Amino acid sequence: MGVPFFDLKRQHGSIKNELNAALQQVMDSCRFVLGEKVKSFEKEFAAFCGTDFAVGVANGTDALRLALLACGIGKGDEVITVPNTFVATTEAISQTGAKVVFVDIDPQTYNIDVSQIEEKINERTQAILPLHLFGQPADMDPIMEIARKYNLKVIEDACQAHGAEYEDRKAGSIGDTGCFSFYPSKNLGAFGDGGIVVTNDEEVAQRVRMFRDHGQIKKYEHLVEGTNSRLDEMQAAILEVKLRMLDEWNRLRRRNASAYDDLLQNVNEVVTPLEAECAKHVYHLYVIKTHRRDELQEWLTSKGIGTGLHYPLPLHLQEAYQYLGCGEGDFPKAEECAKQILSLPMFPELTREEIEKVVSEIKAFFARRQDLSLTALVGRGG
Ligand SMILES: Cc1ncc(COP(=O)(O)O)c(C=O)c1O
């Protein structure tokens, strides 16, 4: 029995009729761009996050970029973030004209090491962009405190953290803006690309609304040059159906994570994810750490078990960011993490049997390693 890394077919099977009906409604309305579905989904997603406003955009990258622009970030500014993220986080910063400034991570949660932020702040720093990696919120209270002290904006990258919580507040609702991706594999995913910005600031919401639609607030009245970054009606219709399932799907992800945690408890070579006390992790990814990562991944692949690397090379060591002048050893925790982390199969519909299969193959791998080491020792007369 193989185990897929991710399987959307199971999810769609359970809500097929609702999805079909929602799509049919859009087809019947013949309104495909910025119609009633986008409006109602925005309202429901804002309520879900506990924010006053939500503005749908074309993808998560644009959510970040337009949120940064709406917060006034641009040329000459510096924005602080982490190097162990998907490149979209930093693309969004650079595309506003601002400079990316990296801070290393906490090796236990893999999120920004808050104690290292202040030393990176100077007169050009305008914002902190914390990432809620793998579905666990960054330590937001101290981040907000630093932001208040230095008068900085906070743009949350919540692209992997739909429904996650920090001290009972939803990820994305704590900073000046929260940005989400609806890429199909996310905890809340569309049938293509999609994204959204949430905020309590009416002006910021208004600016994102203007930027996403060619800088206009009224047809053919362009206050600024914007872009075309609208959430489609079809995607909003699907997301509206799926949003109703999100809490339950996150509950099932947490149940699956807890099963992995229990079953891996006595595997000394594996570090399971730590859920911080202040956080409710929604396990967009279930990521373990091990010194034998590459060999283990190969072993699992040979057994038909899907795995992933998120992410194999930190951004400061990528060709695209050579111009920043960073090098090996600059962010040691992020670098170590990139070499050791392995994402295991994780989705709501994953069965107990499948989790047991993954863990039994992990155990078999380490038992085999031990046998090989013993044989080598005996061979050497040890
Ligand atoms: C952390 C993070 N930020 C930003 C993005 C960008 O989202 P999108 O692919 O919707 O542009 C993603 C999505 O993969 C992500 O994981």
Side-chain angles (χ1 to χ4, degrees):
M1 175 184 84
V3 183
F5 181 61
F6 181 63
D7 184 1
L8 265 180
K9 270 199 186 139
R10 298 189 208 178
Q11 185 185 85
H12 292 161
S14 70
I15 48 170
K16 205 170 166 187
N17 292 341
E18 291 97 314
L19 290 172
N20 282 338
L23 288 174
Q24 190 64 50
Q25 277 175 15
V26 178
M27 270 194 278
D28 291 346
S29 78
C30 284
R31 178 82 195 259
F32 298 109
V33 177
L34 295 188
E36 288 311 309
K37 287 287 182 195
V38 168
K39 236 184 248 165
S40 60
F41 173 65
E42 286 177 342
K43 217 167 146 197
E44 284 176 40
F45 195 74
F48 177 82
C49 290
T51 57
D52 292 338
F53 308 98
V55 185
V57 294
N59 51 63
T61 315
D62 273 357
L64 289 162
R65 183 170 64 94
L66 301 187
L68 283 158
L69 287 171
C71 286
I73 310 304
K75 201 162 187 255
D77 297 337
E78 292 188 3
V79 177
I80 290 172
T81 193
V82 287
N84 64 328
T85 176
F86 182 54
V87 69
T89 311
T90 47
E91 280 175 333
I93 297 171
S94 305
Q95 285 168 10
T96 67
K99 183 183 168 192
V100 176
V101 174
F102 290 123
V103 164
D104 209 355
I105 56 163
D106 172 338
Q108 289 198 298
T109 61
Y110 312 128
N111 278 324
I112 194 162
D113 180 348
V114 177
S115 71
Q116 295 190 42
I117 294 179
E118 277 192 272
E119 64 201 58
K120 293 294 175 82
I121 295 174
N122 61 43
E123 67 285 354
R124 290 180 298 280
T125 312
Q126 292 299 331
I128 305 172
L129 201 164
L131 160 72
H132 307 315
L133 189 67
F134 305 147
Q136 165 145 262
D139 197 1
M140 288 307 293
D141 278 347
I143 292 172
M144 295 309 293
E145 217 169 281
I146 295 170
R148 270 191 291 274
K149 182 169 163 193
Y150 294 94
N151 198 23
L152 307 177
K153 299 289 183 189
V154 175
I155 291 96
E156 295 177 60
D157 184 339
C159 288
Q160 301 186 359
H162 317 68
E165 288 174 18
Y166 177 85
E167 304 278 19
D168 296 328
R169 285 165 289 164
K170 284 272 167 33
S173 71
I174 303 163
D176 294 274
T177 65
C179 306
F180 293 84
S181 161
F182 299 128
Y183 185 75
S185 60
K186 300 299 189 203
N187 288 32
L188 180 61
F191 278 9
D193 282 309
I196 207 161
V197 177
V198 298
T199 182
N200 289 317
D201 185 327
E202 189 166 7
E203 267 182 45
V204 167
Q206 191 58 27
R207 267 182 246 137
V208 175
R209 229 172 260 134
M210 183 171 74
F211 290 141
R212 77 172 173 186
D213 196 21
H214 302 292
Q216 61 188 359
I217 41 166
K218 239 170 123 190
K219 200 160 180 160
Y220 303 133
E221 276 183 36
H222 308 277
L223 294 193
V224 291
E225 271 188 330
T227 187
N228 177 353
S229 182
R230 300 171 299 224
L231 180 66
D232 287 339
E233 281 287 287
M234 287 281 194
Q235 303 303 351
I238 284 152
L239 289 164
E240 207 172 16
V241 171
K242 286 187 161 194
L243 180 59
R244 288 177 215 134
M245 302 298 296
L246 183 57
D247 280 336
E248 173 61 5
W249 284 335
N250 282 341
R251 186 187 70 76
L252 293 173
R253 283 176 183 271
R254 287 177 59 75
R255 177 204 64 182
N256 294 343
S258 160
Y260 272 129
D261 288 347
D262 287 346
L263 294 166
L264 285 167
Q265 216 181 144
N266 299 319
V267 185
N268 296 330
E269 298 88 344
V270 167
V271 179
T272 53
L274 174 99
E275 183 176 40
E277 232 168 80
C278 53
K280 182 178 167 197
H281 199 319
V282 289
Y283 297 96
H284 170 56
L285 294 167
Y286 185 88
V287 181
I288 60 167
K289 205 160 80 164
T290 173
H291 289 286
R292 302 218 172 275
R293 193 271 307 278
D294 293 341
E295 295 160 76
L296 175 61
Q297 184 176 36
E298 233 174 84
W299 172 265
L300 293 175
T301 304
S302 76
K303 303 292 173 193
I305 294 169
T307 57
L309 301 182
H310 301 93
Y311 299 90
L313 187 65
L315 294 179
H316 67 286
L317 300 178
Q318 297 275 357
E319 184 99 23
Y321 290 102
Q322 287 311 295
Y323 74 92
L324 288 176
C326 304
E328 192 109 29
D330 284 354
F331 304 101
K333 299 297 180 215
E335 290 167 29
E336 181 190 291
C337 175
K339 290 182 187 132
Q340 297 183 8
I341 50 174
L342 183 66
S343 309
L344 301 182
M346 171 53 80
F347 49 95
E349 302 79 11
L350 192 67
T351 65
R352 173 81 191 187
E353 196 190 1
E354 286 173 317
I355 294 169
E356 283 171 0
K357 164 76 178 167
V358 175
V359 173
S360 81
E361 288 301 347
I362 292 174
K363 286 182 174 168
F365 169 79
F366 286 111
R368 188 170 159 272
R369 290 275 338 153
Q370 223 163 23
D371 283 351
L372 290 176
S373 321
L374 277 178
T375 313
L377 269 179
V378 171
R380 284 207 306 268

